[in-house]
Amino acid sequence: MSEVLDGSDLKVIAFDVFGTVVDWYSGIAAETERILPGIDGGAFARAWRAGYQPAMKSVMERLAAGEGGFTLLDELHMGILGRVLHDFGVDDLDPVRKRELNRAWHRLPACPDAVAGLTRLKSKYIICTLSNGNIGLLTEMAKRAALPWDCVLSAEVFKAYKPDPRTYLGVAAVFDVTPNQVMLAAAHHDDLAAARTCGLRTGYIERPNEFGPARPKDVSPHPDNTLHARDIGALADLLGC
């Protein structure tokens, strides 16, 4: 892992979004407590997020077996929400409020360093999303949080979810560059590892409080990442922006 990168041949920086650019924990916790007074918003947020990987795995297995079509993240979130509501003893939430709560994922706040850091990177590179979130969700989120993307790319575009290679290689194809001219920036080592197998460069963004201040996560550097940055502003520093 290099501390400094000659980014002269780097063209595109694709960002993971949830937990890397936007703060899902505080956003979902606040919306939960607004819509469901008396519920522990932090615990609810973590439970909802915990359902994501199993739900995604189930859909990917169905797709691989040729059963059913691509499912938008909004739909997956709604399915997970039903189970989490039941687990928290809420079985009578009316459909309007349930949809409003589900769309809290569209209204997540940007991490404090995100807008300024992305704006600096945008001055030198193409910056885009690479998220399993659907296009409508990511676009609404960007509009609300003033995220200055050049382009919104999503699993929906490639009809495949990360860590499918079609997503990472798809970014390079969209912009007609080689995989080595793309960097994935993310707060999750598994996402970055999958990107590296496709030939992308990788930048790790520390988000120690992704799961809330009471549940700090290990943000130790991984030697295989191209860069390791405290936040998006620090990534811009490392790339000379």
Side-chain angles (χ1 to χ4, degrees), residues 16-65:
D16 171 66
V17 175
F18 298 105
T20 301
V21 177
V22 298
D23 181 355
W24 62 263
Y25 173 80
S26 68
I28 296 300
E31 291 275 352
T32 298
E33 291 178 0
R34 179 180 67 83
I35 295 171
L36 301 173
I39 295 292
D40 181 339
F44 194 96
R46 283 191 291 267
W48 200 350
R49 184 66 172 170
Y52 166 74
Q53 288 293 348
M56 187 66 65
K57 181 180 179 182
S58 176
V59 172
M60 291 171 70
E61 288 173 349
R62 291 201 304 270
L63 286 173

Side-chain angles (χ1 to χ4, degrees), residues 15-25 28 49 52 73-74 77 104-109 111 129-134 137-138 141 149 162 185-188 191 207 210-211 217:
F15 279 82
D16 171 66
V17 175
F18 298 105
T20 301
V21 177
V22 298
D23 181 355
W24 62 263
Y25 173 80
I28 296 300
R49 184 66 172 170
Y52 166 74
L73 186 58
D74 275 338
H77 277 156
W105 294 94
H106 295 225
R107 302 188 293 270
L108 299 179
C111 295
T129 62
L130 182 58
S131 170
N132 285 337
N134 44 288
L137 183 163
L138 296 170
M141 174 195 291
W149 304 120
K162 294 188 296 179
H188 311 111
D191 197 2
R207 296 297 186 204
E210 179 182 356
F211 295 89
K217 72 177 190 180

Side-chain angles (χ1 to χ4, degrees), residues 56-173:
M56 187 66 65
K57 181 180 179 182
S58 176
V59 172
M60 291 171 70
E61 288 173 349
R62 291 201 304 270
L63 286 173
E67 301 171 358
F70 185 83
T71 304
L72 300 183
L73 186 58
D74 275 338
E75 299 171 37
L76 284 181
H77 277 156
M78 182 64 85
I80 301 164
L81 176 58
R83 295 190 290 274
V84 176
L85 286 168
H86 176 75
D87 290 344
F88 277 74
V90 182
D91 293 311
D92 57 352
L93 189 64
D94 68 80
V96 172
R97 292 173 70 212
K98 186 176 181 182
R99 183 174 186 274
E100 182 184 3
L101 181 54
N102 195 55
R103 291 180 70 85
W105 294 94
H106 295 225
R107 302 188 293 270
L108 299 179
C111 295
D113 56 279
V115 174
L118 291 173
T119 300
R120 289 172 59 194
L121 290 166
K122 183 185 173 84
S123 69
K124 188 174 179 180
Y125 304 102
I126 293 171
I127 60 168
C128 66
T129 62
L130 182 58
S131 170
N132 285 337
N134 44 288
I135 296 169
L137 183 163
L138 296 170
T139 302
E140 267 197 274
M141 174 195 291
K143 186 76 170 176
R144 184 180 182 91
L147 300 171
W149 304 120
D150 288 310
C151 180
V152 171
L153 293 180
S154 156
E156 184 181 356
V157 174
F158 307 113
K159 295 296 183 284
Y161 306 103
K162 294 188 296 179
D164 190 301
R166 286 175 289 177
T167 59
Y168 307 108
L169 296 174
V171 177

